[in-house]
Amino acid sequence: MRRAQWPSSLKQYAHPTIGKLTIPEIKPSHIYELLRLIWAEKRETANRVRGRIETIIAKNVDVDDTEFRNPADLTKQLREKLPRRPKRVVRHHPALSYAEAPQFMAELSAAGGIAASMLRFLIFTACRTNEVVEARWSEIDRPSSAWKIPGERMKMHQDHVVPPSEPALAILDKMRHGSQGELIFPNPDGGAFSENAMLAVLDR
């Protein structure tokens, strides 16, 4: 999904400034010009656009060219020129109290649907959302009661083995009964749910 966003974001924010330039013609000042209007107002978009430009340029430069300087590199000069960003105010979601957990799990179990089952599995395994959303049957060793998550989905980029509890295994068995694809928790179109799907379950 994120990879599909590359062309649209680059077309909108980068192409008007550097779309017709060759890599040797692109200067840090060009990167500054395309970032300055969105740097403070669209923080994440600006970060991604700059990073994508830097990656594309790096992939098209001779690896042995030690004198090359990537114009999209976030140097001190570029940071000082760009507008100051307001400090972020971190707001954490309120935690569910221990006393409310049994009722919540009972209501979640009664909710039905794949997204609700996915959220229950996440809670029982204490894993991150992206690890569960992209979970595949090929990662499950049912005889050994093990779920091997590949490093590409782990924060530390290392393979991680989770021993699912009995409630988690029960969810897997239920999902396996009606599964037609590789994803354990497919959306109605057969693809992966967005990470916001679980929030939608909580908002019901």
Side-chain angles (χ1 to χ4, degrees), residues 4-128:
Q5 294 173 349
W6 281 46
S8 60
S9 65
L10 294 175
K11 181 179 180 180
Q12 181 175 356
Y13 299 108
H15 190 270
T17 303
I18 62 174
K20 296 182 179 180
L21 301 179
T22 63
I23 288 179
E25 293 174 331
I26 300 175
K27 299 178 180 179
S29 58
H30 292 123
I31 306 302
Y32 163 75
E33 285 298 326
L34 66 89
L35 290 177
R36 65 185 180 87
L37 297 179
I38 61 173
W39 188 250
E41 296 181 1
K42 299 181 179 181
R43 182 192 301 254
E44 292 304 322
T45 298
N47 289 342
R48 290 170 182 166
V49 168
R50 188 207 62 79
R52 289 165 184 173
I53 296 172
E54 182 181 26
T55 297
I56 291 171
I57 291 176
K59 285 182 176 296
N60 288 277
V61 174
D62 187 347
V63 69
D64 292 323
D65 187 354
T66 57
E67 297 182 358
F68 177 77
R69 173 190 174 190
N70 196 317
D73 184 22
L74 188 58
T75 60
K76 181 176 178 58
Q77 297 99 308
L78 181 57
R79 286 198 304 270
E80 290 299 322
K81 289 288 186 181
L82 289 167
R84 295 293 180 187
R85 287 171 163 174
K87 290 185 177 180
R88 284 182 169 179
V89 178
V90 179
R91 293 187 178 90
H92 296 288
H93 294 292
L96 185 71
S97 71
Y98 181 82
E100 296 174 309
Q103 179 180 349
F104 171 75
M105 293 303 293
E107 293 177 354
L108 186 59
S109 180
I114 294 178
S117 295
M118 182 170 59
L119 178 53
R120 291 174 61 225
F121 186 78
L122 180 146
I123 294 171
F124 288 137
T125 57
C127 289
R128 293 182 174 84

